[in-house]
Every structure is written in C-alpha cells, then in structure tokens.
Amino acid sequence: MKHIHGFEKPPRVSFRRSLIIFIGNVIGIYLISFFELGVTVQAFDDIILFVLFMSIINALLWPILTRILMPFLVLTFGIGTLILNGLLLENIGPFFGIEVQGPAIILAPLAMAFVTTLLSTLLTIEDEGSYYRSVYRDAEKKRKDEIKDYPGLIIVEIDGLAYDVLIEAVNKGIMPTVKSMMDTTHNIRMWETDLSSQTGASQAGILHGNNEDITAFRWIEKENDNQMMQCSGVSKVKVLESRISDGNGLLVDNGASRSNLFSGDTDNVIFTFSKILNIRKLYNKAWFSVFSNPSNFARIISLFLAEMLLEIISQIKHRIKNIQPRIKRGIAYIPIRAATNVFMREINTSTLIGDMMVGDIDVAYSTYLGYDEIAHHSGVRDEDSWFALEGMDKQIKRLINTNKYTPRQYQFVIQSDHGQTNGATFKQRYGESFEDFVKSLLPADMKMFAKMTSNEDHYAESFLPFSKKNDDLIDKSEQKELGDSEVIVLASGNLAMIYLTQWSHRLTYEEIQKFFPELIPGIVNNEYIGFIVVKSSEKGDMVIGKNGTYYLDSDEITGENPLEGFGKNIAHHIKRNVSFKYTPDILVNSFYDKQKDEVCAFEELVGSHGGAGGSQSKPFILYPSDWDVGEGEIVGAESIYRILKDNLKKLKEEKNED
C-alpha cells in the first residue's frame, strides 16, 4: 500500500472508557428491570456476567450482522439497529437468567446507551478510540491499494449562520475549533447572497453554478397553468435540479452529497432531496460508519431524546421570561428540532468520517441544519442557538481530527448558504396576517390562495419516509383552492410574492392600478413594508417606497431612495431577480430597522431569511489560507461555485508532500 499522507490507527478504547461503557450497560439493564419495563432479572450478578458476555458477542458478531443486514438498517432509518440489539439481548439473556421481552427489546439498548452517554458527559470523557476505531476497521477493507497523491476536500455548510453571528460566537468562546482554524490555517470572508436569500437559491448556485429562475422559496408559474413550484418536496426538487444542472456540478468528479437539497451531479448521495426517492441511491455503503458500533445509533437516539427535553425546557423558559419576539413552537416542533440538531448532524459526521477514512472521494458537501432550524424558532442569538453552534463546533473538531487516520490529507471549507435576521413577524406587529391584509385591499369576492411558510427546505420537516405527502407538500383541498384562486400570496421570510392569476402574463403597474386601485398604495403605505417591485409599461421595472421610486432600467430615483439601508448591491440583486421567468406581479419586501437589526417575516418565524435586510444576505466562507479567492467582494452563490470549483482543480494539480 502506498502511504502518501502519514497517518495512524485510532487508539484502542481506553480502560476508563471501557469501564464507563460497562457500568452504563449494567445500570441501563438494571433500570429497565427495576421499573418492570420488560426485563426480569434473578440476581444483580447475572447482569454483570450478561453484559461481559454481550460485549464479547458484539465484538465478534456485530460487524458480520451489520454487513449482512445493512439494507434493512438503512431502510428502517436506523431503528433496525435497536431491534437487532434487542433481539440479541432477548435470545442470549435466558442463558444468564435474564428475560428480555416486549418493549424492552427497544428500551434496553436505549437505556444502556443513554446511561453510558450521561456518564461520559458527567465525567467529561471524550474517547477518540471508541468514536473512530470501528469505522477505521471497515475503511481499511474498502481502501484501494493506490492512494491518490493530492488532497481531498470536505465542505461543511452551517445552514443559516451569518458572518457576524459566527464572529460573535467565536469571540464568546463558543466555537474554539473554528477560532483555531481562523488563527492558524484558514482565512474567512463574508459573501453576499442573491435575492432570494434562502437555501434553494444558494445551494443551486453553489452546487450547480446556476440558480436562474429561482425567484424565491416558492413561486407560481403562470405559463404552466399556475403551477406552484418550491424548493422542497422531493418531486419538485428533482424537477428543479433537472432545470439547473448542466452536468458539471460541484460534486460531479468523484464527489459525495450528504444532506443537501441538490446533488451537485453526483450519485454518491445520502439524504439528498433531489434523489432521495431512488431506493438504490438511498442504500449507500457510507451508512456503515453510522452502524459500525452496536451502541452508536442508540447513542444518537439518546441524544435525540435529550434534545427533545431541552426544547421542552426552552419553551417553558421563554414563556416564563417572556422573551420577545417569541412564536408558538408547539409540540410538533420538539422532535423536528431534535431531528435537525442531533439526528441529521450525527449522520452527517459519521458518514463523512467514513468517507475520509476510506480516502477515495475527492470532494464532499454536507449541510448541517441545526442552527438554522433553532434560530428560526428561538432567535438568531438565543441561548438555544449558541448551544447548537457549540455542538456544531464539536462536529468540525471530529472531522478535522479524522485527518490523523486518513490515507490522504483532506482540506476543509466551512461556510454558510445565507444568514438570518431577527424580528417580530408582520402578524405580531400589525395584528393581522399579510395575506389577510392583502385581501382587505382587493374586491371581497376575489378568491385567494396563500402559502406563508418556507421552512420545509429542512428535510426533517418535509420528508416522511414512504409518504405520498413528499411529492408536493400540498393536500387535495389546498390543490383545489390553488386552482380556483384569482390571487395567490406566497412568503419567503420577509419577502412576499403576489400573483394575480386571472391573467397569464405579468401585470404592469398601470394594469394593477386600473383593476385594483387600492392594492399598491395600501401595501406601500403600510408601516411595516420597505418596498415593492412592479413593472411599468412606460418606465420598466420600478422599486416603490413610501417617499420615492427607483427606476431600475435607468437607475434614476425620484424622491427618497426606497432601497436605502438594504445594501449597496440591492439594486443589482433586484434587477437580476425580476429578469427571471416567474417574477410575481408584485414583489414585496418588509421594512428593515438598521438600528435594531430587525425585519418582519411574513411567516411566523423569529429569525428569517429569503428577502433583503440585515444579516440574512451575509453568510461566510472559511477557506484554506493558500487558496486563491480573488481580492474583490464575493457576490452571489454562483461565485462560491466558481471559487470551490477552481480551487478543487488546483488541488488535483498539487502533489501531497506530507
């Protein structure tokens, strides 16, 4: 074997760690027995002998069982590991006078992992050996004899993290790993998103170099019989990828996609929305990294349950302290937070570690959703959000440490796809939802359809395995309402779109004034609206504010500049957006309070993104110091694609001299 990059084997599991695992397993089984949840024990000594024997059995049989049953484990999204572990306990237990039956088949493995995780946390035992060793054994078998003599690249996306919030987290000591990278090996730059500032547009640009015609998170295509398209729903995202891809995506050359909307033109995918319904692609050998240790998935579930408890405590705390702005998160959100901030996070890291240890892939792109999800509901700088970033920093540390055990070196880019801007919602401020406000400005008999949520770009919220709801996230009654509607109102954070669907073309300013004379003045004069964009038959596209108009075609301004405070490139972004095929009749952006750094979302989220105003359009890219990214400002997601693509090419031209 040709060893290009000096690497080592992960250390053996320490005695302290082994002792903690042993004690945790013993206590876990005892607790299930004590509470009479399906385990019957004759004597406490029997548990000790049983756990010792099971440790040997797992060491011998688990690698074989997981290799044989891997498709089952993947298709059950990991629950199969709990069942498999429980069945081993059930069948071997009687030899030691222990009966495991009923709910204990699931509860016993969970209890063992939960107690072990709790003890490890309380005793601050972070043991590299137990985390890496089982993955390393499998990676050795998969590793090719000829090791590539150039570095690979791992790109980690922290969804929704703005540049200024990252810097604040680093200064607070919340992200020491990122700080170390900034101080030693990496440079950091802020970049500016397109309009709209949301994952669909950004990942299309980053992964495929093209986000043309992605007007917002959701839009109406008048030319396609008023079809509603969106950057979620597995069938919709598949269609979008077919539109934007030219076959030269970021990951096309031996790349891997982990938890992204789009594939970047690779078939090596896990939880990638554009290809998630392809069962053959769902089963990926990289999953072995997740299931290689018999207690790993149970540990993830334990962390999942702990995260749910933290969310319950957070909701109570926010209510008692009367933290504002605050939205009603509800019971349904509790598992969603745990899914994004724990389950998806752990799957991403485990599979990336496996990818790196095998050493074959040249580039991997992985999205971590936790911070964005929590910031939407708790706030951009809430303690919940800081907690998510602290956990994210640990994942980055684990990935970087993996380089010690890889046959080739991997470089790292840490970046975000957009930021978020805080603020009370339009409904909270005005006392009426935006769609109801718009309806009040139209004839009473006009039929309206409104869809004012855009958070389904998070797969935990929008993907239910084997469910028909995955296709379009709209039920039959909504579909009928959409088809019968004469006006459609959609939201993407603090950006709203109004489509007047009785006409097949984009209505002009003059036509709207003629047919609906109260609509434009009513919206513009609302105190919580920053500006609207409409097209004049005489003067082209116009940005209208309360006290002035910006004529985009000529860059002339009458009165006050309605785009003041929204950034120096905002006119450029709007010009590009209104050039898209599916531009709404009226594009609406909320106000932005620069002093308070607040916008008001048209959907019920505390932290929002999608429009213009504040940090939502100011993400970051942390890249190796020797990379060439140019001196000018970085504007648009397609610019990030070019930076990554160009430097990937240069990496392949280098020789790894480590």
Side-chain angles (χ1 to χ4, degrees):
M1 184 186 229
K2 185 180 179 183
H3 289 209
I4 303 298
H5 166 60
F7 68 105
E8 58 194 71
K9 288 186 176 182
R12 293 186 179 277
V13 180
S14 68
F15 174 77
R16 286 182 69 201
R17 176 64 181 171
S18 298
L19 185 61
I20 288 297
I21 294 172
F22 175 74
I23 293 172
N25 288 343
V26 170
I27 294 174
I29 292 177
Y30 174 76
L31 288 174
I32 297 298
S33 171
F34 180 81
F35 289 107
E36 299 181 352
L37 296 173
V39 172
T40 305
V41 178
Q42 301 297 325
F44 186 78
D45 293 352
D46 294 337
I47 301 178
I48 295 174
L49 293 173
F50 178 51
V51 169
L52 282 171
F53 185 76
M54 282 301 300
S55 299
I56 297 170
I57 290 296
N58 275 330
L60 295 174
L61 291 183
W62 191 261
I64 300 170
L65 290 173
T66 50
R67 196 170 298 280
I68 295 171
L69 298 173
M70 184 61 68
F72 168 68
L73 302 182
V74 172
L75 291 174
T76 57
F77 292 89
I79 302 301
T81 60
L82 299 178
I83 298 172
L84 182 57
N85 230 327
L87 289 174
L88 286 174
L89 296 175
E90 181 187 32
N91 287 283
I92 296 173
F95 293 102
F96 295 87
I98 296 174
E99 296 290 335
V100 179
Q101 53 193 352
I105 291 176
I106 297 292
L107 293 178
L110 275 177
M112 294 160 71
F114 179 78
V115 176
T116 301
T117 303
L118 181 63
L119 289 174
S120 299
T121 302
L122 292 175
L123 298 175
T124 62
I125 295 176
E126 287 284 344
D127 187 65
E128 274 193 358
S130 61
Y131 197 87
Y132 295 112
R133 196 166 184 82
S134 56
V135 179
Y136 183 87
R137 283 196 301 267
D138 181 66
E140 275 190 311
K141 297 171 185 174
K142 295 177 181 174
R143 197 172 289 150
K144 296 178 180 178
D145 291 335
E146 189 68 26
I147 303 301
K148 296 175 181 178
D149 60 355
Y150 55 88
L153 177 65
I154 304 295
I155 306 166
V156 172
E157 178 188 301
I158 307 177
D159 190 13
L161 181 58
Y163 172 86
D164 58 346
V165 178
L166 171 71
I167 298 301
E168 193 173 333
V170 167
N171 291 337
K172 285 176 176 286
I174 290 168
M175 303 187 79
T177 306
V178 171
K179 183 180 189 307
S180 175
M181 295 172 75
M182 290 168 58
D183 290 344
T184 55
T185 58
H186 284 64
N187 292 337
I188 189 167
R189 293 271 300 275
M190 183 180 76
W191 66 279
E192 189 172 319
T193 68
D194 305 285
L195 185 67
S196 66
S197 53
Q198 47 89 21
T199 300
S202 289
Q203 282 205 353
I206 293 169
L207 289 169
H208 290 276
N210 177 20
N211 56 15
E212 188 86 9
D213 292 331
I214 299 181
T215 300
F217 171 77
R218 186 180 279 119
W219 63 90
I220 296 297
E221 300 185 352
K222 286 188 174 185
E223 66 180 38
N224 293 328
D225 197 26
N226 292 325
Q227 175 188 197
M228 184 169 69
M229 281 295 292
Q230 57 197 34
C231 298
S232 70
V234 290
S235 62
K236 302 291 189 186
V237 175
K238 183 179 179 181
V239 170
L240 285 180
E241 181 164 315
S242 69
R243 292 180 181 181
I244 62 174
S245 173
D246 63 357
N248 189 34
L250 181 65
L251 308 177
V252 68
D253 293 324
N254 198 31
S257 171
R258 306 288 180 251
S259 299
N260 303 311
L261 273 179
F262 303 107
S263 72
D265 290 324
T266 181
D267 283 333
N268 184 347
V269 296
I270 288 179
F271 284 141
T272 297
F273 234 34
S274 62
K275 297 183 177 180
I276 202 168
L277 285 186
N278 187 323
I279 298 299
R280 285 178 297 178
K281 290 184 173 65
L282 180 65
Y283 174 62
N284 187 310
K285 290 181 180 179
W287 278 105
F288 189 85
S289 307
V290 181
F291 304 126
S292 58
N293 186 309
S295 63
N296 188 42
F297 190 79
R299 179 189 69 86
I300 293 173
I301 296 298
S302 299
L303 293 172
F304 181 98
L305 295 173
E307 188 78 13
M308 289 177 66
L309 180 60
L310 288 175
E311 173 56 23
I312 293 169
I313 294 170
S314 172
Q315 290 191 23
I316 295 170
K317 187 186 294 184
H318 276 67
R319 190 169 295 129
I320 291 173
K321 290 186 174 182
N322 194 28
I323 293 174
Q324 298 294 337
R326 185 176 77 246
I327 60 171
K328 184 179 179 181
R329 296 183 237 170
I331 295 174
Y333 171 67
I334 296 170
I336 289 172
R337 166 174 165 170
T340 54
N341 198 43
V342 172
F343 182 81
M344 299 295 292
R345 179 190 74 189
E346 296 293 326
I347 297 296
N348 285 356
T349 302
S350 294
T351 53
L352 286 174
I353 285 173
D355 291 331
M356 292 174 66
M357 285 188 176
V358 173
D360 182 55
I361 64 160
D362 291 334
V363 55
Y365 193 103
S366 183
T367 302
Y368 286 76
L369 305 166
Y371 170 79
D372 188 66
E373 184 67 48
I374 291 173
H376 274 314
H377 292 84
S378 295
V380 173
R381 290 176 171 84
D382 187 81
E383 63 180 30
D384 292 346
S385 303
W386 297 132
F387 177 75
L389 291 179
E390 186 177 6
M392 185 65 235
D393 191 78
K394 291 178 181 177
Q395 306 305 309
I396 296 170
K397 181 179 180 181
R398 284 172 177 157
L399 290 170
I400 291 174
N401 285 344
T402 304
N403 249 343
K404 292 186 289 187
Y405 315 122
T406 58
R408 65 193 285 212
Q409 183 186 21
Y410 277 91
Q411 294 189 4
F412 289 90
V413 169
I414 315 296
Q415 65 182 44
S416 55
D417 55 342
H418 55 78
Q420 285 196 31
T421 308
N422 234 49
T425 68
F426 181 90
K427 185 176 181 179
Q428 289 172 332
R429 295 172 189 269
Y430 190 64
E432 183 179 39
S433 68
F434 182 72
E435 62 268 33
D436 286 341
F437 167 63
V438 171
K439 195 165 188 175
S440 71
L441 302 173
L442 295 167
D445 60 348
M446 278 194 78
K447 296 176 182 177
M448 173 182 283
F449 174 84
K451 194 81 170 174
M452 307 301 285
T453 59
S454 68
N455 206 33
E456 298 94 348
D457 57 348
H458 287 171
Y459 329 113
E461 293 195 48
S462 58
F463 180 71
L464 301 172
F466 315 117
S467 170
K468 292 181 180 179
K469 291 183 179 180
N470 295 319
D471 284 340
D472 51 22
L473 297 172
I474 182 170
D475 58 33
K476 289 182 180 179
S477 62
E478 280 189 319
Q479 190 67 52
K480 186 178 187 308
E481 187 182 348
L482 175 64
D484 294 341
S485 64
E486 297 165 308
V487 57
I488 299 174
V489 182
L490 307 174
S492 183
N494 72 316
L495 190 73
M497 286 68 63
I498 301 174
Y499 293 88
L500 298 157
T501 53
Q502 292 168 290
W503 293 267
S504 59
H505 65 281
R506 182 187 174 196
L507 288 185
T508 65
Y509 169 78
E510 290 78 11
E511 288 173 320
I512 297 171
Q513 286 289 76
K514 175 183 176 182
F515 296 123
F516 310 106
E518 296 180 14
L519 184 56
I520 289 177
I523 295 173
V524 169
N525 290 318
N526 186 292
E527 60 183 309
Y528 302 115
I529 301 302
F531 61 82
I532 70 166
V533 183
V534 290
K535 184 172 185 175
S536 168
S537 59
E538 300 173 0
K539 297 188 176 181
D541 287 299
M542 308 185 299
V543 180
I544 304 175
K546 291 176 179 57
N547 301 306
T549 301
Y550 189 124
Y551 298 97
L552 292 170
D553 292 359
S554 63
D555 285 320
E556 294 179 10
I557 299 170
T558 59
E560 297 177 8
N561 184 358
L563 297 178
E564 186 68 36
F566 287 94
K568 66 176 183 178
N569 295 315
I570 184 61
H572 160 77
H573 292 307
I574 295 175
K575 287 177 184 179
R576 182 172 185 266
N577 189 284
V578 298
S579 73
F580 293 166
K581 289 170 66 174
Y582 309 115
T583 302
D585 298 302
I586 306 176
L587 187 71
V588 184
N589 200 91
S590 84
F591 83 106
Y592 171 59
D593 186 327
K594 191 173 183 178
Q595 208 167 26
K596 295 181 179 179
D597 191 27
E598 286 187 352
V599 296
C600 69
F602 298 117
E603 52 187 322
E604 295 307 297
L605 297 173
V606 177
S608 69
H609 57 86
S615 301
Q616 61 181 306
S617 57
K618 299 174 183 176
F620 70 93
I621 179 169
L622 181 69
Y623 58 90
S625 301
D626 59 354
W627 274 28
D628 180 13
V629 300
E631 296 296 326
E633 61 180 348
I634 305 170
V635 179
E638 294 173 6
S639 298
I640 297 295
Y641 167 84
R642 287 189 289 271
I643 288 171
L644 295 172
K645 198 79 169 174
D646 289 348
N647 283 281
L648 258 174
K649 183 179 178 182
K650 290 176 183 176
L651 283 181
K652 292 183 179 182
E653 294 170 353
E654 295 176 0
K655 298 297 180 184
N656 191 330
E657 298 175 354
D658 291 349

